[in-house]
Amino acid sequence: MSMDRQQAWTLLTQYNKEPFHLRHAITVEHVMGWFAQELGYGEERDYWSIVGLLHDLDFEQWPEEHCIKSQELMRQAGVEESIVRATASHGWGLRVDIQPEREMEKVLFASDELTGLIGAAALMRPSKSVADMELKSLKKKFKDKKFAAGCSRDVIARGAELLGWELDRLLDQTLKAMQAEEEAIEAAVAAL
């Protein structure tokens, strides 16, 4: 079945209650939608967004089975196989051997951890916002391994490589995505 956002949200909130996880899902949803538009997949924007929204479906309740349990949950819910595969592929090399192949899968793999790093960096700013963040300050935070240590720099770098992008381009584009979508993300989070 082809999913709309409401169906995806209902499925997500069936297994996710933590505000932190819901905010991350909404952030990645918006970042993926922005990338779809930016990279010439505008007609697939909703699809990319839903993949972003659902990518961590199983993480809150089954962190040890992340990207494995989600496949089962989605198939039970009748989610189309391309979404099952795309969401699972961001666990490539860590949990699953489903390699990101489509550009959308590579963008998810590359930007997922990075949105967490950018979000953490924003919280350190007086504005608490990405609006006034510059690439050079993001690069500094990226290089500081102690900062947001849970965000894997290796995964981010491997994601850039998968896309055939310089790391700077990935950092810059993901920051731009979060800046462009910040208001929409905050509005969605406020409505929780």
Side-chain angles (χ1 to χ4, degrees):
M1 79 172 189
S2 190
M3 272 197 134
D4 64 25
R5 189 193 187 273
Q6 191 49 57
Q7 291 166 317
W9 182 253
T10 301
L11 182 62
L12 179 73
T13 52
Q14 199 176 329
Y15 302 107
N16 290 267
K17 310 290 180 214
E18 289 283 323
F20 177 83
H21 292 134
L22 294 174
R23 169 183 277 275
H24 176 65
I26 289 166
T27 300
V28 177
E29 170 194 17
H30 283 268
V31 165
M32 289 296 289
W34 184 89
F35 270 115
Q37 203 66 50
E38 199 63 23
L39 298 172
Y41 297 92
E43 72 288 349
E44 289 183 31
R45 185 182 184 132
D46 291 347
Y47 175 70
W48 284 46
S49 296
I50 284 170
V51 167
L53 189 65
L54 292 177
H55 79 285
D56 278 348
L57 181 67
D58 58 4
F59 189 73
E60 187 176 310
Q61 291 188 39
W62 299 275
E64 295 310 311
E65 294 176 72
H66 182 40
C67 295
I68 299 163
K69 184 73 176 174
S70 62
Q71 297 177 59
E72 180 192 318
L73 299 173
M74 286 185 202
R75 287 187 182 114
Q76 280 169 0
V79 175
E80 64 191 272
E81 204 53 40
S82 65
I83 294 176
V84 176
R85 184 198 144 57
T87 53
S89 74
H90 88 280
W92 176 60
L94 302 163
R95 302 262 182 217
V96 295
D97 57 6
I98 301 167
Q99 186 169 346
E101 284 164 8
R102 297 185 56 207
E103 191 160 18
M104 177 259 291
E105 295 171 343
K106 294 173 183 178
V107 168
L108 176 63
F109 184 90
S111 64
D112 174 32
E113 295 277 317
L114 186 49
T115 63
L117 182 76
I118 294 170
L123 292 176
M124 305 298 290
R125 305 179 71 73
S127 66
K128 302 273 186 254
S129 165
V130 290
D132 56 355
M133 191 184 298
E134 289 177 9
L135 179 60
K136 66 175 195 282
S137 74
L138 174 57
K139 285 167 71 170
K140 217 191 232 153
K141 295 286 189 209
F142 183 87
K143 285 186 183 121
D144 176 2
K145 302 279 190 268
K146 287 188 196 82
F147 177 77
C151 297
S152 168
R153 276 43 171 197
D154 292 345
V155 168
I156 295 167
R158 205 155 90 212
E161 211 174 285
L162 270 177
L163 283 161
W165 294 0
E166 292 293 321
L167 180 61
D168 275 14
R169 177 178 174 195
L170 177 63
L171 296 177
D172 180 56
Q173 293 284 286
T174 308
L175 176 57
K176 282 193 170 94
M178 287 182 70
Q179 288 169 332
E181 297 293 327
E182 186 169 45
E183 266 179 50
I185 291 166
E186 291 309 324
V189 168
L192 289 178

